[in-house]
């Protein structure tokens, strides 16, 4: 199997890993009071939101190659489905 077969899975796993790493960094910074803690139980929500804000632009820059491979994989699947639908429509038109 080619490496492009699992491009979507690879991109998703790397994106989740980058989010987890960002959350770990935010948690450590909050633990050592480098960044302010939120009030009460909202601390976890604050750290999750901050990790999302940090990991999104990082994934845009760092995972460009994986995102392009995933895009190529999706486009190929959509093209195959479109060709299959067109072939089926052509067969139905031939029966009339």
């Amino acid at each position: 199997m080619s490496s492009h077969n699992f491009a979507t899975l690879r991109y998703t796993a790397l994106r989740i890993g980058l989010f987890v790493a960002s959350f770990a960094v935010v948690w450590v910074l909050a633990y050592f009071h480098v960044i302010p803690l939120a009030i009460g139980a909202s601390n976890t929500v604050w750290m999750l939101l901050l990790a999302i804000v940090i990991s999104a632009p990082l994934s845009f820059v760092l995972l460009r190659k994986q995102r392009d491979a995933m895009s190529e994989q999706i486009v190929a699947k959509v093209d195959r489905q479109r060709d299959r639908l067109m072939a089926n429509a052509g067969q139905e038109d031939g029966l009339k």
Side-chain angles (χ1 to χ4, degrees):
M1 287 191 192
S2 127
S3 64
H4 290 286
N5 288 341
F6 299 106
T8 303
L9 182 62
R10 181 179 298 113
Y11 175 74
T12 302
L14 288 171
R15 182 83 192 258
I16 290 170
L18 192 57
F19 170 75
V20 169
S22 297
F23 182 76
V25 168
V26 168
W27 185 82
V28 167
L29 291 175
Y31 181 77
F32 289 112
H33 301 288
V34 175
I35 59 174
L37 296 175
I39 299 171
S42 68
N43 187 34
T44 304
V45 174
W46 155 250
M47 289 192 307
L48 285 171
L49 290 174
L50 190 55
I52 289 170
V53 168
I54 291 170
S55 68
L58 285 176
S59 69
F60 184 74
V61 173
L62 298 175
L63 302 179
R64 177 169 289 154
K65 187 189 323 182
Q66 289 81 11
R67 189 175 53 253
D68 290 343
M70 179 183 70
S71 175
E72 289 173 10
Q73 179 185 12
I74 292 171
V75 167
K77 286 183 181 182
V78 168
D79 287 344
R80 282 195 306 268
Q81 287 289 70
R82 187 174 352 117
D83 292 343
R84 191 176 302 146
L85 285 172
M86 295 301 279
N88 288 342
Q91 288 176 352
E92 290 175 3
D93 291 341
L95 293 175
K96 291 182 179 182

